Amino acid sequence: MATSPAIAKQCTDLAAARASAMLGRAIEQAITSLQQEEQRCTLVSQRQELGDAWLELSRRRQDWSQRYGPALQAAQFLRDAPIPFAKPESDSFGGLSLVDEDVVVHEIESARVLQLIAPLLEQPLAEIDGLMSTALGLENVHPERNPLRPQVFARALQDLMQGPPQPGLPKLWGRHLAAPLAIEIAALYGDLLKLLRAARLATATYRVLPTASAAAVAAPQPTALPQRPTEGQGAPGNAAGGLGTGDGSGSGGGAGDGNLVIPAFGNSSAGGATSLGGASWADLSGYQLGDELFQNFLFSRAQPSTQALAPAYYARVDAQVAAVQSGAESFEPYDLEGVQQQRTLPPVERPARPVGTARALDEAVWGRWAPARERSLHRAQLKKEARQVGQVLGLEVVHKLVDQVAQDPRLLAPVREAIVAVEPALARLALQAPRFFSQEEHAGRRLVERVAERSFRYNDEFSTEFQEFFTGVHSAFQALNEQQVQDERPFAQVLRKLEDRWTAEDAVEERGSKVAVDAIHFAEAREAEAAQIAWSLSQRSDLEGVPAVVQDFLYGPWALVMAHARLTESDNKVDPGGWTSVVSDLLWSVKPDQTLRDPARLFSTVPGMLERLRKGMNVLGQDQAENDTFFSALEKLHSPVLKLRAKSRRSAHGLESVAVVDAALLSTERQQPRARGGDPWLSRKELQVAGFEDEQLSAPAPLEETRDPLDVAAIIAGLQQGSWVDLHARGRWRRASLTWVSSRATLFMFVSNGGQPHSMTRRSLERLLRERMLRPVEAGAVVPRAIEALSQQRAHAAPAPSRRATGEVRLAA
C-alpha cells in the first residue's frame, strides 16, 4: 500500500497554521451566543454567570488564538492517552491514567467538549480516518492514530481553559464554543480531504482476523470469564479473538477454517481489538460497563452488529443453563428477619438493605420471579434466543444496570427489588432493542427512571402511603413479566397508566399546597400594602401630641386591618370597611388638652370607637390579648375625662384602678413606621392553613450530634425548589419537598405526602437542621448514575503500572 508520511505532515502543518484564525472566529460566535442567552435569561444569578463568561472569554480571545496552534501540535503527541467516558470517538476506554485528580477532571472536561463537537464531524471524519491511516503507513484503519481526530482539537481547547476565575466557566465556554469550532474543523477537514485525495492514496480498510484453533476454546469450565484483550490481541483462548460463522466448528475451528472476526459495534477502534471468540460471548460478566466493549456498544452511533453467533456460543450457554439447574451456581437468600428488624427503627436510621440480581426476593410479593435461580435461568434461556452479537451485549447491559440500580442506597429496598423483579421483561426488550438503556426517551428506560424518581416521595417502606404507591408498581411490573415483548409499546402503556394515576394524585396534593402558598402570598401582599398605609398615616398633621403607643398601633395592627380590607373587598371604595374614619376619632381622643375642653364629645365617641377597634382586630384575626397593652394605655389616656362623669364612688374607684402603663409608651415624640423587612404577620388561622407549627413540640431528642452552624448555612444555601428532605413533624418522620421560598429567603414551605404543608421561618429551619430534625435527601436521576458508576469500574485488578514512551503512567490493560 502506497504511503506518504510527507502528506500526513502537510496536513498537520496546515491545521496548526489555521488554528489561530479558526479559534478566533469560534470565540467570536461563542461570545455572541453567550450574550444572547444572557439577554433571554430571567434569573439574576444565571445572568451574572453568563455575563462573566462572555466577558472573560473576550479577555482571553487573543491569547488563546495565539496559543491554539502550539496546543494542537502538543495534543497530537498524546494520541495514546485516552479521554475517559467519552462516547463514540474517544480513545480506548480500557486504560485510565494513573494520575492525580486535577488531570482526571481535565480529561473529563475534554470529553465533554468532544461529545459536543464529534457528532457534527461524523461524515468527513470516516474518510479522513481511512486516508490518514494510509498516509501513516498503516494497513488497517486506526482512528485513534489520526493526528487530527476530534479528540486532539478538544484536548487542545481544554488545555487553554485551565485555571479560570470561576469553576463553572469552562463548561459554559465548551457548550457555546462547540458548534462554531466544529464548523471550523469541518471546513478544515474538507481542505484536508482535497490534499489527501490529490496524493492518490488508497483508503485503508478495517481489519478482518482469522479465528482461533479448536483447542483454544474447549475450556471445560462453563463459567470461565473471558479476559479483556489488550491492543492487538484477541480474547484468551481465542488467539485472534475470532467469532465463528456457524460452520459447525464455532470459534474453535481449525487454523485454516477461514472464519472471520466482525466487530460487535460498527467500525470499532483498534481494528477489532476488542472482538471476542464465539464461545466467549456467552459470558461477559468479567467485562465492566467502563470497558471499551460496552462503551462503544452503548454510545456508538453505528448500529449494533448483526453478525450471527457461532455454535460454540450456544454450547457455552447450554453449559450455563445446566450449571444453574444443577445448583452449581449459588445465590443469596431473602432476609425476612432483617426486614422485620427494620420495622422497629426510625426510617432515617434504617441501613440500606442489600438487594441484587443474585439475591432472592420476597416470594409472597414476586412469586415466580422471587428466586434468583429462576431469573438467572430465564436470562440464560434468552441468551439461547439471541441470534446476533448486539443482542448478547444488550442482555448483558440490562443485567449489569439492573444490578447497579439495585445497589443504589437512595432508593427504598422494595423499589430496588421491583427493578430486579422486572429484569425478565427488560431482558426480553433487549432482544428487540439492544441499546434501549442508552436512549433517554425509550419507554423501557423511562419506566425504570420514573418509578425510581417517583419513589423519592417516600422514606418509609412500611407506611400506608408507600404501600399504595408500591401496589401500582408491583401490578405493572408483574403484568410486564408475563407479556410477550416485541417492541417498547407494553412499557409505554404501563408507564402511561402509572403516570395517569400519579397525575391524579398530584392534582389533589397541589390543591392543598396551593391553599397554603396562597395564604402566605396574601400575607405578604397585605404586609406590603400595610407598609404603604403606615407611611401615609405617618404624614398626618394630627399626629402631633399623640402618645407613642397609639402611633405604634396605627402603624402596625391598624395598618394591617386597613390593608386587609383593601385586598378582600372587591368594590372600589375610598375607605373599604370604614376603618380609616376611626383614625381621626382615635387621635383626637388621646389628647387631654382637647378632650377636657369637650368631654361630652368624648363620652359619645369612646364606646363606638372601641367597638370599631375591636371589630377590626376580629376581622384581621388578632386575639384581644395581642393588643392588651394598647387598650390598657387607651383606657388610661381616657380616664381623666371619664372620671368627670363618674356618678358613684364605686365607679370612680374602678377608674382609679386602671393598669399601670410604661411611661415610654405615653411619650408624645413623633414615631416612624418600622421598616417592613421581616416575615409577614399571619393570623392563627392563616398559620394553620400555611402549615406553620411549633416543631419543637413534635421533635424527639436529637438522634445524632448537632450540625455546625457553617454546615447549616451551606445546606440552606443549597436548597432549591424541589429539593427533598426528611422532616420530623407531628410525631413522625415525613419525606417532604421544598415547594416555596419567600423572596427574602426568610420563609420556607415544604410539602409532604398528601399535600400537607410544613412552613417555617429561617430561624426554625436553622434550628431543625442543627438538631437534625430536618435532613436533606439526595435524589436525582437513577439510570445515568448507574451508567456512570459502572463506566468507572475496572474489569480486573491491574498489574503494576508501566511507563509508556509518552512519559505518562497508565494502568496496563
Side-chain angles (χ1 to χ4, degrees):
M1 180 181 291
T3 65
S4 181
I7 292 296
K9 188 175 187 306
Q10 289 180 35
C11 290
T12 56
D13 289 345
L14 177 62
R18 289 194 181 180
S20 176
M22 288 170 55
L23 186 59
R25 289 189 293 268
I27 289 177
E28 279 295 324
Q29 293 295 321
I31 291 173
T32 301
S33 176
L34 283 163
Q35 290 172 336
Q36 291 173 348
E37 185 172 344
E38 180 189 16
Q39 293 172 356
R40 294 191 299 267
C41 187
T42 57
L43 296 177
V44 176
S45 59
Q46 291 182 6
R47 284 176 60 89
Q48 180 66 40
E49 186 178 27
L50 289 164
D52 292 344
W54 71 255
L55 183 61
E56 186 64 26
L57 192 57
S58 301
R59 293 170 179 162
R60 297 179 177 225
R61 177 190 172 190
Q62 184 175 359
D63 176 60
W64 283 8
S65 297
Q66 294 174 351
R67 293 167 51 203
Y68 194 49
L72 201 61
Q73 291 176 318
Q76 291 168 11
F77 293 101
L78 299 176
R79 61 173 175 263
D80 292 327
I83 298 177
F85 320 132
K87 294 185 180 178
E89 264 69 38
S90 66
D91 293 331
S92 172
F93 291 87
L96 297 178
S97 300
L98 190 62
V99 290
D100 61 31
E101 183 179 357
D102 290 340
V103 175
V104 174
V105 172
H106 170 64
E107 292 194 339
I108 291 175
E109 291 295 340
S110 298
R112 287 176 179 166
V113 175
L114 172 63
Q115 290 170 12
L116 292 171
I117 67 175
L120 305 174
L121 302 172
E122 181 177 6
Q123 185 173 357
L125 184 61
E127 187 176 358
I128 283 198
D129 283 341
L131 291 172
M132 188 63 75
S133 294
T134 299
L136 294 172
L138 303 173
E139 293 184 359
N140 305 109
V141 177
H142 286 263
E144 78 283 358
R145 301 288 297 276
N146 180 359
L148 295 176
R149 63 197 185 282
Q151 288 95 324
V152 173
F153 291 91
R155 189 187 298 275
L157 178 61
Q158 186 59 32
D159 287 342
L160 299 178
M161 292 196 294
Q162 293 306 294
Q166 294 176 228
L169 293 190
K171 188 174 181 180
L172 272 176
W173 289 338
R175 179 157 58 88
H176 289 268
L177 274 169
L181 183 59
I183 292 172
E184 295 291 336
I185 298 173
L188 173 66
Y189 279 178
D191 292 338
L192 293 178
L193 283 173
K194 294 177 183 178
L195 189 62
L196 291 166
R197 289 167 183 162
R200 301 183 180 279
L201 299 175
T203 304
T205 58
Y206 285 91
R207 181 170 53 176
V208 179
L209 301 178
T211 59
S213 65
V217 293
Q221 298 88 350
T223 58
L225 301 181
Q227 301 296 309
R228 277 188 70 249
T230 57
E231 186 172 343
Q233 297 177 334
N238 264 351
L243 211 174
T245 60
D247 63 348
S249 60
S251 62
D257 62 5
N259 289 344
L260 303 177
V261 165
I262 305 295
F265 31 76
N267 295 327
S268 65
S269 64
T274 57
S275 299
L276 301 178
S280 296
W281 290 110
D283 189 349
L284 299 175
S285 59
Y287 283 77
Q288 299 297 333
L289 218 60
D291 289 330
E292 183 179 11
L293 178 70
F294 283 114
Q295 288 289 311
N296 279 310
F297 168 73
L298 280 173
F299 302 122
S300 173
R301 289 184 296 279
Q303 290 299 314
S305 173
T306 57
Q307 173 68 18
L309 294 158
Y313 162 83
Y314 296 102
R316 177 71 68 84
V317 172
D318 285 338
Q320 291 175 351
V321 172
V324 174
Q325 292 175 334
S326 66
E329 190 174 352
S330 61
F331 302 96
E332 295 288 337
Y334 181 67
D335 186 9
L336 181 60
E337 183 179 351
V339 175
Q340 297 302 326
Q341 288 176 350
Q342 288 200 336
R343 282 182 177 272
T344 63
L345 298 173
V348 295
E349 300 302 317
R350 293 171 189 158
R353 201 160 69 239
V355 177
T357 55
R359 183 179 290 271
L361 306 175
D362 187 351
E363 189 171 0
V365 176
W366 295 109
R368 170 191 172 187
W369 301 110
R373 177 171 284 102
E374 181 69 23
R375 298 194 305 275
S376 180
L377 185 61
H378 180 267
R379 188 163 55 250
Q381 296 286 3
L382 290 180
K383 286 184 180 181
K384 294 184 65 174
E385 295 180 23
R387 295 293 178 265
Q388 300 170 0
V389 168
Q391 292 176 311
V392 178
L393 286 168
L395 288 170
E396 189 65 25
V397 165
V398 166
H399 181 59
K400 290 182 182 297
L401 282 176
V402 166
D403 195 60
Q404 184 65 32
V405 172
Q407 300 172 46
D408 193 329
R410 301 173 301 166
L411 302 176
L412 291 176
V415 177
R416 292 182 280 128
E417 290 169 348
I419 293 172
V420 170
V422 82
E423 183 188 355
L426 295 172
R428 285 195 291 271
L429 179 59
L431 289 180
Q432 309 300 326
R435 292 198 305 208
F436 77 88
F437 255 127
S438 67
Q439 303 165 14
E440 292 185 7
E441 297 306 316
H442 194 283
R445 170 169 168 168
R446 286 285 300 154
L447 177 63
V448 173
E449 189 66 67
R450 282 293 292 130
V451 167
E453 179 184 301
R454 185 75 180 183
S455 74
F456 285 131
R457 300 162 62 91
Y458 310 95
N459 67 352
D460 186 356
E461 64 180 276
F462 305 111
S463 67
T464 303
E465 297 90 345
F466 175 77
Q467 288 302 320
E468 291 175 355
F469 158 77
F470 183 72
T471 297
V473 172
H474 170 262
S475 299
F477 283 10
Q478 286 284 60
L480 278 174
N481 276 343
E482 303 306 322
Q483 291 187 45
Q484 293 296 322
V485 177
Q486 300 298 328
D487 51 35
E488 66 177 308
R489 281 179 294 181
F491 293 83
Q493 292 169 359
V494 164
L495 179 57
R496 185 161 51 250
K497 290 180 181 178
L498 288 174
E499 292 282 12
D500 289 344
R501 176 176 177 176
W502 296 339
T503 300
E505 294 173 356
D506 291 344
V508 175
E509 294 189 3
E510 286 172 4
R511 284 195 292 270
S513 61
K514 185 178 184 302
V515 172
V517 173
D518 287 347
I520 298 182
H521 282 168
F522 178 80
E524 288 188 318
R526 182 176 58 200
E527 196 77 13
E529 184 70 20
Q532 293 293 328
I533 293 173
W535 182 86
S536 298
L537 291 173
S538 70
Q539 306 304 306
R540 292 178 64 112
S541 58
D542 54 353
L543 276 175
E544 294 297 334
V546 173
V549 66
V550 178
Q551 295 183 58
D552 290 342
F553 176 79
L554 287 178
Y555 300 153
W558 201 249
L560 286 171
V561 170
M562 296 169 65
H564 188 93
R566 291 185 183 182
L567 294 176
T568 56
E569 296 191 17
S570 56
D571 51 353
N572 296 320
K573 293 180 180 179
V574 176
D575 180 18
W579 307 116
T580 306
S581 61
V582 181
V583 175
S584 297
D585 289 340
L586 175 61
L587 296 180
W588 176 84
S589 72
V590 295
K591 299 177 180 178
D593 58 331
Q594 296 184 21
T595 56
L596 287 171
R597 290 198 296 266
D598 192 357
R601 177 185 172 186
L602 183 66
F603 297 154
S604 61
T605 301
V606 167
M609 181 186 69
L610 291 176
E611 182 181 356
R612 294 286 292 164
L613 291 174
R614 296 189 187 280
K615 184 177 180 180
M617 296 298 98
N618 291 335
V619 169
L620 189 61
Q622 281 197 359
D623 295 335
Q624 182 174 341
E626 295 183 57
N627 294 289
D628 274 349
T629 300
F630 165 73
F631 284 104
S632 296
L634 193 61
E635 186 177 358
K636 183 176 182 66
L637 291 168
H638 292 161
S639 61
V641 179
L642 295 178
K643 285 180 183 179
L644 299 176
R645 199 177 182 187
K647 296 181 178 179
S648 66
R649 184 182 301 273
R650 182 178 179 183
S651 62
H653 176 74
L655 289 172
E656 290 173 357
S657 62
V658 173
V660 177
V661 178
D662 188 346
L665 297 177
L666 301 179
S667 168
T668 57
E669 183 178 351
R670 194 67 173 258
Q671 306 294 311
Q672 292 298 323
R674 292 187 178 91
R676 303 273 178 171
D679 303 328
W681 178 87
L682 288 90
S683 67
R684 184 177 297 276
K685 181 179 180 180
E686 290 168 338
L687 288 170
Q688 293 174 347
V689 170
F692 283 91
E693 60 180 85
D694 184 4
E695 300 90 352
Q696 187 67 40
L697 295 178
S698 65
L703 299 175
E704 301 180 22
E705 292 184 4
T706 58
R707 281 194 176 94
D708 183 90
L710 292 178
D711 294 336
V712 168
I715 292 173
I716 294 177
L719 289 176
Q720 300 176 351
Q721 291 192 22
S723 295
W724 291 103
V725 300
D726 282 330
L727 170 67
H728 194 279
R730 295 165 192 164
R732 68 184 182 95
W733 285 100
R734 303 167 185 266
R735 179 63 57 83
S737 65
L738 181 59
T739 303
W740 176 83
V741 181
S742 67
S743 57
R744 299 186 182 91
T746 58
L747 293 177
F748 300 80
M749 179 185 292
F750 297 87
V751 175
S752 63
N753 195 268
Q756 180 62 53
H758 307 273
S759 299
M760 61 194 69
T761 63
R762 187 183 186 91
R763 181 178 299 177
S764 294
L765 176 59
E766 290 172 346
R767 177 177 59 78
L768 290 173
L769 283 168
R770 282 196 307 272
E771 298 178 358
R772 301 188 64 81
M773 294 299 103
L774 186 147
R775 307 181 184 191
V777 173
E778 183 185 1
V782 170
V783 174
R785 175 168 169 155
I787 292 175
E788 181 180 358
L790 287 170
S791 295
Q792 297 182 42
Q793 293 178 6
R794 292 300 307 267
H796 309 289
S802 60
R803 186 169 297 277
R804 301 292 182 91
T806 60
E808 186 172 321
V809 179
R810 298 169 57 196
L811 294 176

